Amino acid sequence: MFDPTIYENLKVVFEGAVYDLDLDGHIVVTHRSDLIDLATMSRTYAVRYRLKDGRCTAEVRLSAGLVDLAGEKLEWRNALPGCKLEIVFALTLRNPEAACRNIDDIMRQVWDANPSIVQTLSYRYGEDGACCRNEIVVAFDRKIGEGQIDDIAELLEHTVRTLRLLEPYNTEE
C-alpha cells in the first residue's frame, strides 16, 4: 500500500486551500508547478495567485530534498524529515527607496519576526531604475511537517492580507 510522504500530504492540503480561496472569489490562481528534479531527487510545488482585481502576486513554494524523503521512508533514527516553505511576493515599484522601507514595515507587521524577509530589486538595463521589480521572499527558518497542517489556512490568510497591503505600492500597468 502506498503511504504518502510529508511533502505529498502538505502539497495536497496547500493546493486544496489555495483553490478553495480561488473558488470563493478571494484570489485568482495564475500559475502552478509541480516539479521533480531527477539530478538532486528533490521536489518542489509552487502555486502563484493574486487578488481578484490585483496585480501583486504571492507564490507559495513547498520543497523537499532527497535527505527528507530517505529519512522518512527508511525511518532513519535521527532523521528530521519535513519541507521547506517560502512565500514570494512580487510587484513593480516606482521610487523604490521609500517604498521598500514602507514595505519592510508592512511585512514585519503581518509576519512578525519569525520568518526572514528579504526584498530583492531588479530593473532592465538601459532604464533609469526609477521603476523596478520587487521580489519579497518570506522564508521560514525550520522545516514544516504534518503537525503544521492546521496552520495552513491562517498562513494563506496572511498572504491575502499582505497582498491587500502591498497592492497600493504596485505601479505595474
Side-chain angles (χ1 to χ4, degrees):
M1 180 87 163
F2 173 72
D3 185 22
T5 64
I6 294 168
Y7 168 84
E8 290 154 343
N9 287 332
L10 287 172
K11 180 184 85 163
V12 167
V13 173
F14 266 111
E15 189 168 41
V18 168
Y19 278 98
D20 282 348
L21 288 172
D22 185 275
L23 286 172
D24 291 343
H26 299 292
I27 63 168
V28 175
V29 173
T30 60
H31 180 75
R32 178 175 104 32
S33 66
D34 195 353
L35 306 173
I36 298 174
D37 183 337
L38 295 176
T40 62
M41 294 305 294
S42 63
R43 297 167 293 171
T44 301
Y45 171 75
V47 61
R48 185 180 315 133
Y49 49 92
R50 61 176 173 76
L51 296 175
K52 190 173 184 178
D53 296 322
R55 294 173 306 218
C56 296
T57 61
E59 183 172 284
V60 175
R61 295 179 186 166
L62 184 70
S63 60
L66 177 60
V67 172
D68 295 303
L69 177 63
E72 181 178 358
K73 286 297 190 182
L74 299 176
E75 299 178 3
W76 290 344
R77 183 176 313 162
N78 295 324
L80 297 170
C83 298
K84 178 181 175 185
L85 175 65
E86 289 183 335
I87 302 165
V88 180
F89 297 93
L91 64 154
T92 301
L93 300 174
R94 292 201 190 286
N95 190 10
E97 198 59 40
C100 286
R101 268 187 248 113
N102 293 336
I103 289 169
D104 189 60
D105 291 342
I106 288 168
M107 299 304 289
R108 301 217 180 274
Q109 171 193 354
V110 173
W111 296 96
D112 298 321
N114 293 337
S116 70
I117 299 168
V118 176
Q119 296 185 62
T120 303
L121 304 175
S122 61
Y123 64 93
R124 288 190 180 136
Y125 174 74
E127 294 179 1
D128 63 4
C131 186
C132 63
R133 188 85 173 144
N134 188 1
E135 183 177 273
I136 308 156
V137 177
V138 177
F140 297 86
D141 62 349
R142 63 181 179 87
K143 293 179 189 177
I144 66 166
E146 292 157 327
Q148 286 76 42
I149 283 179
D150 292 338
D151 299 335
I152 290 174
E154 183 180 352
L155 181 112
L156 294 177
E157 287 174 20
H158 277 56
T159 66
V160 171
R161 179 175 174 217
T162 303
L163 286 171
R164 284 192 185 107
L165 293 169
L166 293 176
E167 196 63 42
Y169 293 94
N170 193 13
T171 60
E172 184 177 32
E173 301 287 323

